[in-house]
Amino acid sequence: GNSVTQMEGPVTLSEEAFLTINCTYTATGYPSLFWYVQYPGEGLQLLLKATKADDKGSNKGFEATYRKETTSFHLEKGSVQVSDSAVYFCALARDDKIIFGKGTRLHILP
Amino acid sequence: GAGVSQSPSNKVTEKGKDVELRCDPISGHTALYWYRQRLGQGLEFLIYFQGNSAPDKSGLPSDRFSAERTGESVSTLTIQRTQQEDSAVYLCASSPVAGQGYNEQFFGPGTRLTVL
């Protein structure tokens, strides 16, 4: 079946550190892939997306590349800020449903 | 424009009582989803409505859970005889179209349900 596996948190980094949150997926066909973010006290919102292999989604300094050969969609940011502290969810869309990973909580220390 | 709204924002109830949670999707969105998010957990799919098609109820955890949607507007999630394990944040999302694999969802702020 379709599933998403992402690294467990919490992840704690210092400000300006490099961030990677790993995400791999299992799916039939060619799903679209997403990263959603949930800031403290706020609702879930789309961070970035990629709809086909080798696409790179980017937003707010975050990037993720759709790697079909490794079935991965790792989230990266070159220099994190305190304001990036949130829970990040990797997700795939298939047959009109979105399947979410369990989320990774990110803490950025000043 | 207006986003997805949910009410109430918080609900505290006693074990065994019934609760109703409401979701107002973005106008014109044909698809509507309900999810449950337990403390420290990911999103658990509950139910999906798409236009006039029969809803996909495959995620409902028990027959105490049910949901309705009137056309392409408001949806109500009902939990009967609530149990403590039902305590969670219930999220609603809507989507403009149902396509081939790409379906961006817009989320409401959620209803935090606490069952005492």
Side-chain angles (χ1 to χ4, degrees):
Chain A
N2 300 319
S3 66
V4 174
T5 303
Q6 61 182 106
M7 63 189 292
E8 292 191 16
V11 174
T12 303
L13 296 172
S14 297
E15 201 165 25
E16 299 183 2
F18 184 86
L19 168 72
T20 300
I21 301 178
N22 289 338
C23 172
T24 57
Y25 68 90
T26 302
T28 55
Y30 304 98
S32 294
L33 301 174
F34 307 87
W35 277 98
Y36 278 81
V37 59
Q38 188 174 31
Y39 296 105
E42 298 185 16
L44 215 64
Q45 56 188 275
L46 180 66
L47 178 61
L48 53 84
K49 64 182 184 287
T51 57
K52 61 182 187 297
D54 299 325
D55 269 3
K56 177 185 285 186
S58 61
N59 186 25
K60 299 182 180 180
F62 290 88
E63 293 183 341
T65 300
Y66 190 143
R67 301 286 188 200
K68 186 172 180 295
E69 64 276 14
T70 54
T71 61
S72 65
F73 193 55
H74 304 322
L75 182 68
E76 296 182 336
K77 186 172 184 180
S79 177
V80 292
Q81 305 299 312
V82 172
S83 57
D84 294 327
S85 298
V87 181
Y88 292 81
F89 293 89
C90 186
L92 68 84
R94 192 79 183 108
D95 299 329
D96 299 339
K97 288 199 289 192
I98 291 187
I99 297 165
F100 288 86
K102 292 186 176 182
T104 302
R105 184 174 297 277
L106 176 65
H107 294 291
I108 306 300
L109 304 175
Chain B
V4 177
S5 61
Q6 293 186 243
S7 60
S9 56
N10 280 285
K11 176 71 176 178
V12 180
T13 191
E14 293 179 350
K15 179 181 173 181
K17 300 284 190 183
D18 298 352
V19 295
E20 280 190 357
L21 312 180
R22 177 186 169 107
C23 172
D24 285 87
I26 294 172
S27 178
H29 281 195
T30 58
L32 187 147
Y33 304 77
W34 283 98
Y35 296 89
R36 179 169 68 178
Q37 186 179 24
R38 288 182 165 136
L39 185 64
Q41 301 294 313
L43 273 71
E44 179 185 3
F45 166 77
L46 297 178
I47 189 168
Y48 158 52
F49 295 90
Q50 170 55 44
N52 295 319
S53 302
D56 178 347
K57 304 180 182 180
S58 60
L60 294 178
S62 77
D63 59 7
R64 295 187 296 105
F65 288 72
S66 63
E68 293 183 349
R69 186 182 187 194
T70 306
E72 294 184 352
S73 60
V74 172
S75 176
T76 303
L77 177 69
T78 301
I79 309 173
Q80 296 178 308
R81 306 181 301 282
T82 52
Q83 304 295 312
Q84 288 183 332
E85 62 263 27
D86 299 334
S87 297
V89 175
Y90 290 82
L91 293 168
C92 175
S94 70
S95 180
V97 292
Q100 286 290 327
Y102 172 50
N103 198 357
E104 180 176 344
Q105 297 184 10
F106 296 81
F107 283 80
T111 294
R112 181 175 299 278
L113 174 66
T114 303
V115 182
L116 302 176

